[in-house]
Amino acid sequence: MPTGQYQFFATCPRNTEGLLYDELRALGSTGVAETRAGVSFSGPMWSAYRACLWSRVADRILLRLKSFPVSDLTAGLDGVYEAVHAMPWEDHLDAAGTLAVEATSTIRQGLLARLNTHFAEQRVKDAVVDRFRAKTGTRPGVDLVRPDIRINLHLTPAEGVVSLDLSGDGLHRRGYRIAGGEAPLKENLAAAILLRAGWSQTAATGGALIDPMCGSGTFLIEGATMAGDVAPGLTRDYYGFLRWKGFDSNSWRELVREAGERRESGLRRLPTLIGYDFDRRAIGSARANVRRAGFAGRIMLENRDLATLTVPKSAQPGLLVTNPPYGKRLGETTQLVDLYETLGERLRESFSGWEAAVFTGNPDLSAYLGLRAHRLNVLYNGPLECRLLLFHIGRPRSGGASRAARPMKQDGTEGDDGSTTRPSGATMFGNRLRKNMRHLRRWTVREDIHCYRLYDGDLPEYAVAIDLYEDWAHVQEYAAPASVDPVRARRRLKEVMATVPQVLEVPAEQVVLKVRRPQLGTDQYQRQGWEGRMMEVREGGLRFLVNLTDYLDTGLFLDHRLVRRLIRDLATGRRFLNLFAYTGSATVYAAAGGAVSTTSVDLSSTYLDWAQRNLALNGLSGPKHQFVRADCREWLTRAATQVGSCGTPVYDLVLLDAPTFSNSKSMSGTLDIQRDHADLIRDAVRILAPEGVLIFSTNCRRFKLDAAINRRFAATDITKQTIPPDFARNPRIHACYRILPTRADTEIGYFDADGSLESGLPPTTEPPGPQLSGGHDAG
């Protein structure tokens, strides 16, 4: 082989060309020029060997052998065959050797635009073996894994280039990786990330490297090779030049010897390197890879959850780097929001003075970190466009304490340094909770209220409802509209969940969160969990079982508190019917009020069992209390027909509190209360005694009573009188009507002249606030 200067081309991951350019110049290469997806350079053969051994960023090192104009390829792949066949392959390979071919093309127009690169590889292989057969009578074999030489054909609109792949295999394969976990990052991309993050400079000053989600340990091993001046190719046992006829073994041995000496010296000055992962299998893979790379005992690995991440006492401020899952790797985006939020929280709370580098393929998830990147780089993990976000964590402000270190007043403004700031949103939310508690405290004591709504979207930024059930808090988040930034909404919800236990002085485990979304089409609120945890609460001198965890609604609708009181006061000596009975809370009130009998109808056996337990809890069980599992519409139609045939009314007091919508599989058809309420009311009135009373209630926010009901019956809107003070901000929470069988101009004595209930409740003085989407259907 001729000696002297050679032309080379180093390929690399997209957008890392600048890093590779700097790297090759530092390795002593000459004629270095950056191009797209790689860097060209020139020099003696040992410069290519050195690049193979020391480059942290390159994918492959190619020795350029021949180029030819694309205009020479008018015959298509036959032209490629002729160009390759004319080359002296016997100078590179023995006839008994092996070869492999790889072809790439950037031609998008003309005859070669439809080129099948696999077919091109076949034609190049044919050209080489046909030349050998013609000259020697024998031909080389094919080895796709570890051939003696690997030929590279690259076609561009300007030229075709034939090269030898001196790396033989991707240089990212360092030789230490046994297992890569679920979604391993290529080693040269990991190295590029560390270089972009300034790890070399950080390591030189003794700074530590921590990866809190280390997986197979790639960042840590690459970081160790950088900090320890270890050639990344030192652990490889295969290169494309080792069996090439032009291989200079003396030059190679000298380069390897030098690299070994530098490694021994560099390992003595390694800084702290620590990796954590919650997956024990990942930690096992990382330990095996660390041993193979020669860093056993020099990289600390530990099974640890991200939520417990802190800075070890022995670690000097340095770089935290991580490649968390981003929805295209290990899980869906919605399942990873908590992880990104937790990472951001741990960085803010424990890593002041550190640098952080977060590599992600999902910019939406990175927003949940809650940190502002000072630099952003676009890199590619294979074909996937990703972002490398670089952060300065908690840098103290010059001339004074950082914001985190400044004392905070109780009103949320910053300390006594003469400055004033607007209270934070979380502080204002906490202040509103305290205000509401003071406002409602006297009423709850006087009325013996133990379950009530404390907060109902008072501040538009914090769109939640908070109900107290004895010493538990039930938080419902109203799903934000598409116009609201989901990251900001998520952050505010976390502020809510952090503030509620502090202000209410309840344990965090006694704060239950649910998300209430508007019903769409035939959707219905589904069961939320299966804990089966019942707790006993008090209301109106009675006791009820509620479940705060398993269902969106709890079993006791607090806005119907006054409706239940009305039922109790009207029930004395009457036969009571509870349609769509749900958990039977109204039935308990009727029984406690002296009803001579009660009948509770519901389609759900679960709710009917719950209702029976509520009655038993109050010592009200007995044969006069009947429970009927049936479709309420069908049951009511049959009952009304039977009454019509025999002329004998069955009930003196009926509560009809149907859901807004239902499409239960056990039903025939669907129930739409706006569409169906007139028929339900007419049938309910037919089974009423002449002096009977029907209480109709609905949580349909846009409900409008059918005009025919007003014309036929004595229907009185008592909604205002049945909205309790704790729901005054949301007067559309339900609509309620008292309906008598015949029209009448007088009101029953239960109501005062001004329309308020004879309950002694204080008038509601606080004006209604903004209306929230969602709602519930009582039973």
Side-chain angles (χ1 to χ4, degrees):
M1 288 294 299
T3 59
Q5 296 288 305
Y6 296 87
Q7 296 296 317
F8 306 102
F9 187 81
T11 65
C12 62
R14 187 174 169 185
N15 284 9
T16 65
E17 296 89 348
L19 294 173
L20 180 57
Y21 174 89
D22 293 339
E23 188 176 58
L24 290 173
R25 291 196 62 183
L27 291 174
S29 301
T30 58
V32 182
E34 179 181 339
T35 65
R36 183 177 181 180
V39 176
S40 62
F41 65 102
S42 60
M45 190 56 62
W46 62 260
S47 65
Y49 297 164
R50 180 183 286 272
C52 286
L53 184 62
W54 281 97
S55 178
R56 305 183 188 281
V57 180
D59 274 326
R60 295 178 184 269
I61 305 296
L62 305 176
L63 168 62
R64 186 182 180 111
L65 297 180
K66 181 179 181 178
S67 64
F68 37 84
V70 170
S71 59
D72 292 348
L73 304 180
T74 53
L77 290 177
D78 287 342
V80 173
Y81 176 93
E82 295 299 333
V84 174
H85 187 273
M87 297 174 63
W89 292 106
E90 59 275 10
D91 293 343
H92 304 281
L93 177 68
D94 288 328
T98 58
L99 78 154
V101 181
E102 289 185 354
T104 57
S105 175
T106 60
I107 298 175
R108 299 293 178 263
Q109 293 180 342
L111 181 65
L112 294 178
R114 298 185 297 274
L115 173 69
N116 182 308
T117 55
H118 179 66
F119 188 42
E121 292 166 355
Q122 288 289 107
R123 293 300 287 155
V124 170
K125 183 265 297 178
D126 291 345
V128 176
V129 299
D130 287 351
R131 179 182 176 93
F132 272 98
R133 186 181 290 114
K135 286 185 172 291
T136 67
T138 61
R139 53 155 287 178
V142 174
D143 182 349
L144 299 179
V145 180
R146 289 193 168 192
D148 293 343
I149 64 169
R150 189 180 298 273
I151 303 169
N152 181 277
L153 170 67
H154 182 61
L155 297 174
T156 73
E159 63 178 357
V161 180
V162 179
S163 303
L164 281 183
D165 183 353
L166 298 180
S167 46
D169 198 0
L171 291 176
H172 70 276
R173 294 187 170 93
R174 314 293 204 209
Y176 61 73
R177 178 176 281 169
I178 297 175
E182 293 285 343
L185 198 67
K186 284 187 176 181
E187 292 86 336
N188 60 336
L189 179 57
I193 290 169
L194 289 168
L195 289 169
R196 290 287 189 203
W199 166 238
S200 296
Q201 295 80 6
T202 300
T205 62
L209 181 68
I210 293 179
D211 184 351
M213 290 173 275
C214 68
S216 58
T218 306
F219 277 132
L220 298 166
I221 296 172
E222 293 299 313
T225 64
M226 290 182 188
D229 193 26
V230 177
L234 199 56
T235 50
R236 284 172 59 109
D237 60 0
Y238 171 72
Y239 286 96
F241 53 74
L242 292 178
R243 295 195 296 271
W244 171 47
K245 290 182 71 172
F247 175 48
D248 182 356
S249 60
N250 291 330
S251 296
W252 176 245
R253 279 196 298 269
E254 178 59 25
L255 288 171
V256 172
R257 183 197 61 78
E258 176 200 24
E261 291 178 354
R262 290 172 61 175
R263 179 184 182 278
E264 287 189 19
S265 175
L267 289 181
R268 291 194 290 268
R269 56 177 185 270
L270 276 182
T272 301
L273 300 112
I274 304 173
Y276 303 114
D277 204 289
F278 79 97
D279 188 342
R280 293 184 182 275
R281 292 172 299 178
I283 290 295
S285 296
R287 287 198 174 104
N289 292 336
V290 165
R291 284 194 300 270
R292 283 276 295 261
F295 295 109
R298 302 176 188 275
I299 295 176
M300 187 186 85
L301 297 166
E302 182 179 330
N303 179 230
R304 173 179 286 193
D305 188 83
L306 180 65
T308 66
L309 177 66
T310 57
V311 178
K313 294 180 180 179
S314 61
Q316 297 297 319
L319 173 66
L320 182 144
V321 61
T322 193
N323 173 35
Y326 36 79
K328 298 179 178 68
R329 190 177 75 151
L330 296 180
E332 295 300 323
T333 297
T334 54
Q335 299 173 329
L336 297 171
V337 169
D338 282 340
L339 183 145
Y340 278 74
E341 287 181 336
T342 300
L343 176 59
E345 289 170 0
R346 300 316 306 148
L347 286 171
R348 289 191 298 272
E349 293 178 13
S350 299
F351 286 82
S352 177
W354 282 62
E355 302 296 317
V358 178
F359 184 68
T360 178
N362 192 326
D364 293 336
L365 280 173
S366 65
Y368 288 97
L369 292 169
L371 299 168
R372 185 182 297 277
H374 71 84
R375 185 176 172 186
L376 183 150
N377 293 113
V378 176
L379 296 172
Y380 288 81
N381 188 2
L384 180 64
E385 182 178 309
C386 299
R387 299 289 188 275
L388 173 62
L389 306 170
L390 304 179
F391 305 94
H392 300 310
I393 306 299
R395 292 294 192 191
R397 298 177 181 177
S398 59
S402 68
R403 177 183 176 92
R406 293 178 183 174
M408 298 293 289
K409 298 179 181 179
Q410 287 190 346
D411 63 0
T413 57
E414 290 186 0
D416 301 320
D417 58 357
S419 64
T420 58
T421 62
R422 183 175 181 268
S424 69
T427 299
M428 292 190 291
F429 171 72
N431 290 341
R432 178 53 68 101
L433 289 185
R434 295 184 184 93
K435 175 185 175 182
N436 289 358
M437 290 176 68
R438 290 193 301 269
H439 177 74
L440 295 172
R441 183 177 294 119
R442 185 176 299 176
W443 165 71
T444 59
V445 172
R446 182 178 65 246
E447 298 296 326
D448 194 29
I449 302 291
H450 301 274
C451 306
Y452 61 95
R453 177 150 295 183
L454 176 63
Y455 176 93
D456 202 356
D458 304 33
L459 303 178
E461 298 89 346
Y462 295 88
V464 298
I466 301 175
D467 297 325
L468 296 187
Y469 287 83
E470 301 284 351
D471 56 352
W472 284 68
H474 184 252
V475 180
Q476 299 176 78
E477 179 197 22
Y478 294 98
S483 59
V484 175
D485 179 6
V487 176
R488 185 172 298 175
R490 176 86 178 183
R491 194 168 298 144
R492 287 172 177 163
L493 180 59
K494 290 180 74 70
E495 291 173 355
V496 167
M497 297 305 290
T499 302
V500 167
Q502 295 176 2
V503 174
L504 303 187
E505 298 181 350
V506 298
E509 57 269 21
Q510 291 181 206
V511 180
V512 179
L513 171 66
K514 295 174 186 168
V515 178
R516 183 180 289 276
R517 294 181 174 85
Q519 297 184 37
L520 300 174
T522 58
D523 292 346
Q524 293 194 99
Y525 298 136
Q526 301 296 320
R527 185 163 184 156
Q528 306 279 299
W530 300 90
E531 294 184 23
R533 181 193 302 168
M534 292 286 191
M535 60 176 289
E536 183 181 315
V537 298
R538 296 164 289 168
E539 182 187 272
L542 301 169
R543 296 184 294 168
F544 299 93
L545 295 174
V546 297
N547 185 321
L548 304 185
T549 57
D550 291 359
Y551 303 90
L552 188 59
D553 295 312
T554 65
L556 186 67
F557 294 123
L558 303 183
D559 65 293
H560 276 64
R561 189 184 306 113
L562 296 183
V563 176
R564 289 189 286 271
R565 184 184 299 181
L566 173 60
I567 294 295
R568 177 167 58 187
D569 291 348
L570 293 176
T572 305
R574 287 179 163 172
R575 296 162 294 177
F576 174 66
L577 171 64
N578 188 358
L579 293 168
F580 304 94
Y582 190 44
T583 61
S585 56
T587 301
V588 173
Y589 267 85
V596 297
S597 67
T598 69
T599 301
S600 301
V601 184
D602 200 281
L603 188 57
S604 168
S605 58
T606 299
Y607 289 144
L608 287 177
D609 178 68
W610 197 334
Q612 293 181 66
R613 294 174 65 185
N614 277 334
L615 276 169
L617 189 63
N618 291 275
L620 297 171
S621 301
K624 67 178 184 178
H625 303 297
Q626 300 297 313
F627 299 89
V628 180
R629 183 178 183 271
D631 181 331
C632 286
R633 290 183 308 169
E634 296 178 356
W635 185 91
L636 185 57
T637 299
R638 289 196 302 270
T641 301
Q642 292 172 359
V643 168
S645 62
C646 67
T648 304
V650 181
Y651 300 101
D652 309 296
L653 177 63
V654 175
L655 173 63
L656 174 53
D657 187 7
T660 301
F661 181 88
S662 180
N663 64 345
S664 171
K665 294 179 181 179
S666 302
M667 293 173 54
S668 57
T670 62
L671 171 67
D672 183 324
I673 196 60
Q674 183 60 63
R675 179 193 67 198
D676 301 330
H677 76 275
D679 289 339
L680 289 170
I681 289 173
R682 279 191 288 268
D683 284 344
V685 171
R686 290 177 68 184
I687 61 176
L688 271 178
E691 300 301 321
V693 178
L694 167 64
I695 303 297
F696 172 79
S697 179
T698 177
N699 289 100
C700 179
R701 297 302 181 94
R702 296 179 175 83
F703 179 77
K704 184 176 181 180
L705 188 68
D706 192 319
I709 298 299
N710 267 322
R711 290 194 298 268
R712 182 170 180 180
F713 307 119
T716 304
D717 187 346
I718 60 173
T719 302
K720 183 177 180 180
Q721 296 95 315
T722 59
I723 299 293
D726 49 329
F727 285 87
R729 290 187 59 83
N730 195 3
R732 292 173 59 196
I733 189 69
H734 70 240
C736 191
Y737 295 84
R738 176 183 60 83
I739 300 174
L740 304 180
T742 57
R743 286 198 53 81
D745 297 325
T746 59
E747 301 291 338
I748 61 175
Y750 187 78
F751 297 95
D752 289 334
D754 64 358
S756 63
L757 292 172
E758 294 177 354
S759 61
L761 290 176
T764 302
T765 58
E766 187 165 342
Q771 302 305 303
L772 303 176
S773 63
H776 64 255
D777 303 310

